[in-house]
Amino acid sequence: DAGVIQSPRHEVTEMGQEVTLRCKPISGHNSLFWYRQTMMRGLELLIYFNNNVPIDDSGMPEDRFSAKMPNASFSTLKIQPSEPRDSAVYFCASSFAQSYEQYFGPGTRLTVT
Amino acid sequence: AQTVTQSQPEMSVQEAETVTLSCTYDTSESDYYLFWYKQPPSRQMILVIRQEAYKQQNATENRFSVNFQKAAKSFSLKISDSQLGDAAMYFCAYRVDSNYQLIWGAGTKLIIKP
């Protein structure tokens, strides 16, 4: 079975540019999570979708960040405009339901120069 | 407040030996789940093992087992017959039943000496 798929694996961009990260959850999972991992802050939950609907976006840092889930098999996390402090590894995770264990994708390492 | 503490920033063990990673948590809930995730240098977060708080029996997955002490709020991970591929960051995480929010520890870096 395919796990959670994320693209790109690496992204290097200049400050001010728009960045779009993509995620395909495990088929049949109805909960999707976006996380950010940094050395300073560890793993932070950015947003949680259930059945394609955003349930909790309290972790989204600011208005420059937005996330969508147009269907059960695809989600995007967009940063516009990007800043150097957005440099981090961004993970997407999915679960069968909100109460089940979460399975993570390989992550996207974002570097903003 | 619900917190997860991993007091060992780094541990090292000789290949083929056994190592135990510590995790404590603070909660007033009675129904919850505990997890250990592994993050190797490839950075993928891999679920290693889970434990339901209502189960008295400690969870086991091949060479990985936990020592769950509910009263002490302790959840340690034992890795037997350590292998080079076990080298990674190990994160302990907690979740209240029927909730999606995972509370994470800071992680323990495990080094395997050949």
Side-chain angles (χ1 to χ4, degrees), chain A residues 15-94:
Chain A
M15 183 175 63
Q17 296 298 307
E18 177 180 298
V19 176
T20 300
L21 310 181
R22 297 172 177 79
C23 174
K24 177 179 170 55
I26 293 172
S27 178
H29 284 192
N30 66 354
S31 294
L32 185 137
F33 309 80
W34 281 101
Y35 289 89
R36 179 172 67 178
Q37 185 181 38
T38 61
M39 289 294 292
M40 291 296 293
R41 301 173 68 92
L43 205 59
E44 304 172 277
L45 177 65
L46 300 177
I47 188 168
Y48 158 58
F49 290 88
N50 184 252
N51 291 323
N52 312 336
V53 176
I55 302 299
D56 180 2
D57 65 354
S58 59
M60 296 287 263
E62 47 200 273
D63 292 346
R64 297 184 298 105
F65 285 69
S66 63
K68 294 182 180 180
M69 192 164 187
N71 57 62
S73 59
F74 184 65
S75 177
T76 59
L77 178 67
K78 183 178 294 186
I79 308 172
Q80 167 64 19
S82 58
E83 297 182 3
R85 59 193 168 117
D86 301 331
S87 297
V89 179
Y90 290 82
F91 287 101
C92 175
S94 71

Side-chain angles (χ1 to χ4, degrees), chain B residues 69-112:
Chain B
Q69 302 289 329
K70 190 172 184 179
K73 296 180 182 176
S74 172
F75 182 60
S76 60
L77 176 69
K78 186 173 83 170
I79 306 173
S80 304
D81 185 25
S82 299
Q83 300 176 1
L84 295 178
D86 296 333
M89 284 289 291
Y90 285 82
F91 292 93
C92 178
Y94 155 97
R95 177 174 61 74
V96 176
D97 193 15
S98 300
N99 195 340
Y100 58 88
Q101 185 83 292
L102 279 170
I103 310 299
W104 296 87
T108 296
K109 182 178 181 180
L110 178 62
I111 298 168
I112 310 295

